[in-house]
Amino acid sequence: MANHSVDLLVIGAGSGGVRAARIAAGYGASVMIAEEYRVGGTCVIRGCVPKKLLVYASRFADDFEDAAGYGWTVGEPAFNWKTLIANKDREIARLELAYTTNLERSKVKLVKSRAVLEDANTARLLATGESVRAKHILIATGAAPHLGAKIAGLEHVISSNEAFHLDDLPKRILIQGGGYIAVEFAGIFNGLGSEVTLVYRGDNILRGFDDDVREHLRGEMERRGIRIITKRIVEAVEKVEHGLCVDLPDHESFTVDRVMFATGRKPNVNGLGLEKAGVALGKDGGIAVDAYSQTSVANVYAVGDVTNRVNLTPVAIREGHAFADTVFGGKPTPVDHSNVPTAVFSEPELGVIGLTEAQACAQLARVDVYKTSFRPMKMTLAGRDTRCFFKLIVDGETDRVVGCHIVGPDAGEMIQLVGIAVKMQATKADFDATMAVHPTAAEELVTLREKAYSRVREAAE
Ligand SMILES: Cc1cc2nc3c(=O)[nH]c(=O)nc-3n(C[C@H](O)[C@H](O)[C@H](O)COP(=O)(O)OP(=O)(O)OC[C@H]3O[C@@H](n4cnc5c(N)ncnc54)[C@H](O)[C@@H]3O)c2cc1C
């Protein structure tokens, strides 16, 4: 006999799980949510939110410097890492409490325990040993950092999880990885005053992003003093008297205070009892689901990073909501994963939606490319040598804007709005017909008159 019986058991109180639980409870379902760590999940506790707070902190360095060109005299700025981390932790605790309160208000029963499946309708709460019988189970267990192959000294390497809780700001840090988390932390530590080296095994950072964007961002990061080493990987890390000695191929080695690997994340499926429930995995190690987030077992669903689809908070939230609408609201709702706008909070920032030039060329018969690079107005009096980059990818046959790529201040804010236009299938003519907002950087989006070039696919023989 089970200790609890509910309509829905949600495993994982992160972005997707919390949304799904609240919406399902709103439809009248009895809902329990199990969380083994902290309510809010990766985004709130050790992802988007603390990361963005650190990004804000790191950007003050430029502001202090740039103010001089605008007539300000600023005293010698001093930064205190411990203050930042303590304030950040206080804000995260506030958010965690808000999430918990919202679950309680929604009449969702929260249990602080790891939950594992025993069959397709039963889970065990490891903290108490109790069992839960559920008509439906939603797996929303997220993902965790993956440090890659075992190398000597891996125990000295931190992931993004630990980077949020370091005792001191490292004077020298080596970050391995070329994805968005690696470049964001490179920008954070660089802005806060650390000497940063980024090591990446590929030939350029941000694989999967538009090549012009990758090139532009790399140039800007290097201009800011970040050393970027590509086509190399860390072979060993050794503790030495004044830090950590890092070995790269060809006998190159250097000493830093911290080594962080941002080498990818793996879906949290281990030890979850998926095999007992009969839940199948996909090729990439995530739980295989259909457009409604239903797994291979009819009453078991999965949303968010554990499904390894588009691993972003708003996507996990949308999937969680759609699941609840589908199963408890009587409104079958598939999730559309196309044209998801996204930002990388590097320095400078990046905002993208839609196809890269290479993707567009692979899919479309004719592609028109519009692009520009310029020095933002604010940088003129500041005397800072940095450039924005804007690129529009247009379907040459329909005139639809199928991709937009922005590098520069507030790119994340801009791409959210461009995202609506692209999702509505706006054409380049619609962009051109929109009056510019002057003087802004964003006006470049509607004043890009000169086509840079067209790429026409050769007719098949
Ligand atoms: C450093 C970093 C920065 C990021 N920045 C951004 C960003 O700027 N924008 C953005 O959109 N996304 C960002 N992300 C990604 C975003 O955080 C994730 O896509 C999102 O949190 C996924 O939500 P989720 O619900 O799938 O999982 P999570 O939020 O990870 O929640 C899963 C929860 O399940 C719990 N759990 C796991 N197993 C069990 C179990 N067996 N029993 C009970 N509980 C369990 C975990 O403790 C966790 O709380 C970032 C991620 C990282 C790591």
Side-chain angles (χ1 to χ4, degrees), residues 11-17 34-38 40-43 46-48 51 113-115 140-143 160 164 180-181 185 265 268 272 303-305 311-314 316 345:
I11 306 181
S15 308
E35 170 54 54
E36 68 175 349
Y37 182 52
R38 293 180 63 182
T42 303
C43 173
R46 44 197 183 184
C48 334
K51 184 261 317 267
S113 171
R114 180 169 174 80
T141 51
S160 58
F164 289 119
Y180 79 93
I181 295 176
F185 273 93
R265 294 174 59 79
N268 282 329
L272 207 51
V303 295
D305 286 8
N311 297 334
L312 293 169
T313 286
F345 297 99

Coordinates of all heavy atoms in Angstrom, one line a residue, residues 11-17 34-38 40-43 46-48 51 113-115 140-143 160 164 180-181 185 265 268 272 303-305 311-314 316 345, ligand 1:
I11 N 8.8 15.1 -10.7 CA 10.2 14.8 -10.1 C 11.1 16.0 -10.6 O 11.4 16.0 -11.8 CB 10.7 13.5 -10.5 CG1 9.7 12.4 -10.2 CG2 12.1 13.2 -9.8 CD1 10.2 10.9 -10.5
G12 N 11.4 16.9 -9.7 CA 12.3 18.0 -10.0 C 11.5 19.3 -10.0 O 10.6 19.5 -10.8
A13 N 11.9 20.2 -9.1 CA 11.2 21.5 -8.9 C 12.1 22.6 -9.6 O 12.5 23.5 -8.9 CB 10.9 21.8 -7.5
G14 N 12.4 22.4 -10.9 CA 13.1 23.5 -11.6 C 12.1 24.2 -12.5 O 10.9 24.1 -12.3
S15 N 12.6 24.8 -13.6 CA 11.7 25.6 -14.4 C 10.5 24.9 -15.0 O 9.4 25.3 -14.9 CB 12.6 26.1 -15.6 OG 13.8 26.7 -15.2
G16 N 10.8 23.7 -15.6 CA 9.7 22.9 -16.2 C 8.8 22.3 -15.2 O 7.5 22.4 -15.3
G17 N 9.3 21.7 -14.1 CA 8.5 21.0 -13.1 C 7.6 21.9 -12.4 O 6.4 21.6 -12.2
A34 N 8.6 16.5 -6.1 CA 9.8 16.1 -5.3 C 11.0 16.9 -5.8 O 11.3 16.9 -7.0 CB 10.0 14.6 -5.4
E35 N 11.8 17.4 -4.8 CA 13.0 18.1 -5.2 C 14.1 17.7 -4.3 O 14.0 17.8 -3.0 CB 12.8 19.6 -5.1 CG 14.0 20.5 -5.2 CD 14.9 20.2 -6.5 OE1 14.3 20.2 -7.6 OE2 16.1 19.9 -6.4
E36 N 15.2 17.3 -4.9 CA 16.3 16.7 -4.0 C 17.3 17.8 -3.6 O 18.1 17.6 -2.7 CB 17.1 15.6 -4.8 CG 17.9 16.1 -6.0 CD 18.7 15.0 -6.6 OE1 18.9 13.9 -6.0 OE2 19.3 15.3 -7.7
Y37 N 17.3 19.0 -4.2 CA 18.3 20.0 -3.8 C 17.5 21.3 -3.4 O 17.1 21.4 -2.3 CB 19.2 20.2 -5.0 CG 20.4 21.2 -4.8 CD1 21.2 21.1 -3.6 CD2 20.6 22.2 -5.6 CE1 22.2 22.0 -3.4 CE2 21.6 23.1 -5.4 CZ 22.4 23.0 -4.3 OH 23.4 24.0 -4.1
R38 N 17.4 22.2 -4.3 CA 16.8 23.5 -3.9 C 15.7 23.8 -4.9 O 15.8 23.6 -6.1 CB 17.8 24.6 -3.8 CG 18.8 24.4 -2.7 CD 19.8 25.6 -2.6 NE 19.1 26.9 -2.3 CZ 19.8 28.0 -2.3 NH1 21.1 28.0 -2.5 NH2 19.2 29.1 -2.0
G40 N 13.5 25.7 -7.5 CA 13.8 26.7 -8.5 C 14.7 26.1 -9.5 O 14.7 26.6 -10.7
G41 N 15.4 25.1 -9.2 CA 16.2 24.3 -10.2 C 17.5 25.1 -10.6 O 17.9 26.1 -10.0
T42 N 18.0 24.6 -11.7 CA 19.3 25.2 -12.2 C 19.1 26.7 -12.5 O 20.0 27.5 -12.1 CB 19.6 24.5 -13.5 OG1 19.7 23.1 -13.3 CG2 21.0 25.0 -14.1
C43 N 18.1 27.1 -13.2 CA 18.0 28.5 -13.6 C 18.1 29.4 -12.4 O 18.9 30.4 -12.4 CB 16.6 28.7 -14.3 SG 16.3 30.4 -14.7
R46 N 21.6 27.9 -9.8 CA 23.0 27.9 -10.3 C 23.0 28.0 -11.8 O 23.9 27.4 -12.4 CB 23.7 26.8 -9.8 CG 23.0 25.4 -9.8 CD 23.7 24.4 -8.9 NE 23.0 23.1 -9.0 CZ 23.4 22.1 -8.3 NH1 24.4 22.2 -7.4 NH2 22.8 21.0 -8.3
G47 N 22.1 28.8 -12.4 CA 22.1 29.0 -13.8 C 21.9 30.5 -14.2 O 22.6 31.4 -13.8
C48 N 20.8 30.7 -15.0 CA 20.5 32.0 -15.6 C 20.6 33.1 -14.6 O 21.2 34.2 -14.9 CB 19.1 32.0 -16.2 SG 18.5 30.4 -16.7
K51 N 24.0 33.8 -12.8 CA 24.9 34.1 -13.9 C 24.7 35.6 -14.3 O 25.7 36.3 -14.4 CB 24.7 33.1 -15.0 CG 25.6 33.3 -16.2 CD 25.1 34.0 -17.4 CE 23.7 33.8 -17.8 NZ 23.4 32.8 -18.9
S113 N 13.0 15.7 -1.3 CA 13.6 14.4 -1.4 C 14.0 14.0 -2.8 O 13.3 14.5 -3.8 CB 12.6 13.4 -0.9 OG 13.0 12.1 -1.1
R114 N 14.9 13.2 -3.0 CA 15.2 12.6 -4.3 C 14.0 11.5 -4.5 O 13.6 10.8 -3.6 CB 16.5 11.9 -4.3 CG 16.9 11.2 -5.6 CD 18.3 10.8 -5.6 NE 18.6 10.0 -6.8 CZ 18.8 10.5 -8.0 NH1 18.8 11.8 -8.2 NH2 19.0 9.7 -9.1
A115 N 13.5 11.5 -5.7 CA 12.5 10.5 -6.0 C 13.0 9.6 -7.1 O 13.7 10.1 -8.1 CB 11.2 11.2 -6.5
A140 N 11.2 15.9 -14.6 CA 11.7 17.2 -15.0 C 13.0 17.4 -14.2 O 13.1 18.4 -13.4 CB 10.7 18.3 -14.6
T141 N 13.9 16.5 -14.3 CA 15.1 16.4 -13.5 C 16.3 17.2 -14.0 O 17.3 17.2 -13.4 CB 15.5 15.0 -13.3 OG1 15.6 14.3 -14.5 CG2 14.5 14.2 -12.4
G142 N 16.1 17.9 -15.2 CA 17.2 18.8 -15.7 C 18.4 18.0 -16.1 O 18.4 16.9 -16.6
A143 N 19.5 18.8 -16.1 CA 20.8 18.3 -16.5 C 21.9 18.7 -15.5 O 21.6 19.6 -14.7 CB 21.1 18.8 -17.9
S160 N 30.5 25.1 -13.5 CA 29.8 26.3 -13.3 C 29.1 26.3 -11.9 O 29.0 27.3 -11.2 CB 28.7 26.6 -14.4 OG 27.8 25.5 -14.5
F164 N 30.0 29.6 -8.8 CA 29.1 30.6 -8.1 C 29.4 30.7 -6.6 O 28.8 31.5 -5.9 CB 27.6 30.1 -8.2 CG 27.1 30.3 -9.6 CD1 26.6 29.2 -10.4 CD2 27.0 31.6 -10.2 CE1 26.1 29.4 -11.6 CE2 26.5 31.7 -11.5 CZ 26.1 30.6 -12.2
Y180 N 28.1 28.5 -24.7 CA 27.7 29.8 -24.1 C 28.1 29.9 -22.7 O 28.5 31.0 -22.2 CB 26.2 30.1 -24.4 CG 25.2 29.4 -23.5 CD1 24.8 30.0 -22.3 CD2 24.7 28.1 -23.7 CE1 23.9 29.4 -21.5 CE2 23.8 27.5 -22.9 CZ 23.4 28.2 -21.8 OH 22.5 27.5 -20.9
I181 N 28.1 28.9 -21.9 CA 28.5 29.0 -20.5 C 29.9 29.4 -20.4 O 30.3 30.2 -19.6 CB 28.1 27.7 -19.7 CG1 26.6 27.5 -19.7 CG2 28.6 27.7 -18.3 CD1 26.1 26.2 -19.0
F185 N 31.2 32.9 -18.7 CA 32.1 33.0 -17.5 C 33.4 33.6 -17.8 O 34.0 34.3 -17.0 CB 32.3 31.6 -16.9 CG 31.2 31.3 -15.9 CD1 30.0 30.6 -16.3 CD2 31.2 31.8 -14.6 CE1 29.0 30.4 -15.4 CE2 30.2 31.5 -13.7 CZ 29.1 30.8 -14.1
R265 N 26.7 19.5 -20.7 CA 25.8 19.1 -19.7 C 25.1 17.8 -20.1 O 24.8 17.6 -21.2 CB 24.8 20.2 -19.3 CG 25.5 21.4 -18.8 CD 24.5 22.6 -18.5 NE 23.4 22.3 -17.6 CZ 23.5 22.3 -16.3 NH1 24.6 22.6 -15.7 NH2 22.4 22.1 -15.6
N268 N 19.9 14.5 -16.4 CA 19.9 13.7 -15.2 C 19.0 12.5 -15.3 O 17.8 12.6 -14.9 CB 19.4 14.7 -14.0 CG 20.4 15.6 -13.6 OD1 21.6 15.4 -13.6 ND2 20.0 16.8 -13.2
L272 N 17.6 6.9 -11.9 CA 16.2 7.4 -11.8 C 15.2 6.3 -11.9 O 14.0 6.5 -11.6 CB 16.0 8.4 -12.9 CG 15.0 9.5 -12.8 CD1 15.2 10.3 -11.5 CD2 15.1 10.5 -14.0
V303 N 9.9 16.8 -19.4 CA 10.1 18.1 -20.0 C 11.4 18.7 -19.6 O 12.1 18.2 -18.6 CB 9.0 19.1 -19.6 CG1 7.6 18.7 -20.1 CG2 9.0 19.3 -18.0
G304 N 11.9 19.7 -20.3 CA 13.1 20.4 -20.0 C 14.4 19.7 -20.4 O 14.4 18.9 -21.3
D305 N 15.5 20.1 -19.7 CA 16.8 19.6 -20.1 C 16.9 18.1 -20.1 O 17.8 17.6 -20.8 CB 17.8 20.2 -19.2 CG 18.1 21.7 -19.4 OD1 17.3 22.3 -20.2 OD2 19.0 22.3 -18.8
N311 N 17.8 23.4 -24.7 CA 18.0 23.4 -23.2 C 18.1 24.9 -22.7 O 19.1 25.4 -22.4 CB 19.3 22.7 -22.9 CG 19.1 21.2 -23.2 OD1 18.0 20.7 -23.2 ND2 20.2 20.5 -23.5
L312 N 16.9 25.5 -22.6 CA 16.7 26.8 -22.1 C 15.5 26.9 -21.2 O 14.6 26.2 -21.4 CB 16.5 27.8 -23.3 CG 17.7 28.0 -24.3 CD1 17.2 28.7 -25.5 CD2 18.8 28.7 -23.7
T313 N 15.6 27.8 -20.2 CA 14.5 28.0 -19.3 C 13.2 28.2 -19.9 O 12.2 27.5 -19.6 CB 14.9 29.1 -18.2 OG1 15.9 28.5 -17.4 CG2 13.7 29.5 -17.4
P314 N 13.0 29.2 -20.8 CA 11.7 29.5 -21.3 C 11.1 28.3 -22.0 O 9.9 28.1 -22.1 CB 11.9 30.6 -22.3 CG 13.2 31.3 -21.8 CD 14.0 30.2 -21.3
A316 N 11.8 25.0 -21.3 CA 11.3 24.1 -20.2 C 10.0 24.5 -19.6 O 9.1 23.7 -19.4 CB 12.4 24.0 -19.1
F345 N 25.1 35.9 -22.8 CA 25.5 37.1 -22.0 C 27.0 37.2 -21.9 O 27.6 37.4 -20.8 CB 24.8 37.1 -20.7 CG 23.3 37.2 -20.8 CD1 22.5 36.1 -20.8 CD2 22.7 38.4 -21.2 CE1 21.1 36.1 -21.0 CE2 21.3 38.5 -21.4 CZ 20.5 37.4 -21.3
Ligands
LIG1 C1 25.4 28.3 -15.8 C2 24.1 28.2 -16.6 C3 23.6 29.4 -17.1 C4 22.4 29.3 -17.8 N1 21.9 30.4 -18.4 C5 20.7 30.4 -19.1 C6 20.2 31.6 -19.6 O1 20.8 32.6 -19.5 N2 19.0 31.5 -20.2 C7 18.3 30.3 -20.3 O2 17.2 30.3 -20.9 N3 18.8 29.1 -19.8 C8 20.0 29.2 -19.2 N4 20.5 28.0 -18.6 C9 19.8 26.7 -18.9 C10 18.6 26.6 -17.9 O3 19.1 26.8 -16.6 C11 18.0 25.2 -18.0 O4 17.6 25.1 -19.4 C12 16.7 25.1 -17.2 O5 17.0 25.3 -15.8 C13 16.1 23.7 -17.4 O6 15.0 23.5 -16.6 P1 14.5 22.1 -16.1 O7 13.2 22.3 -15.5 O8 14.6 21.2 -17.3 O9 15.6 21.6 -15.1 P2 16.3 22.2 -13.8 O10 15.9 23.7 -13.7 O11 17.7 21.8 -13.8 O12 15.5 21.5 -12.6 C14 15.7 20.1 -12.4 C15 15.5 19.9 -10.9 O13 15.4 18.5 -10.6 C16 16.0 18.2 -9.4 N5 16.3 16.7 -9.5 C17 17.1 16.0 -10.3 N6 16.9 14.7 -10.1 C18 16.0 14.6 -9.1 C19 15.4 13.4 -8.5 N7 15.6 12.2 -8.8 N8 14.5 13.7 -7.5 C20 14.2 14.9 -7.1 N9 14.7 16.0 -7.7 C21 15.6 15.9 -8.7 C22 17.3 19.0 -9.5 O14 17.9 19.2 -8.2 C23 16.7 20.3 -10.1 O15 16.3 21.2 -9.1 C24 21.7 28.0 -17.9 C25 22.2 26.9 -17.3 C26 23.4 27.0 -16.7 C27 24.0 25.8 -16.0

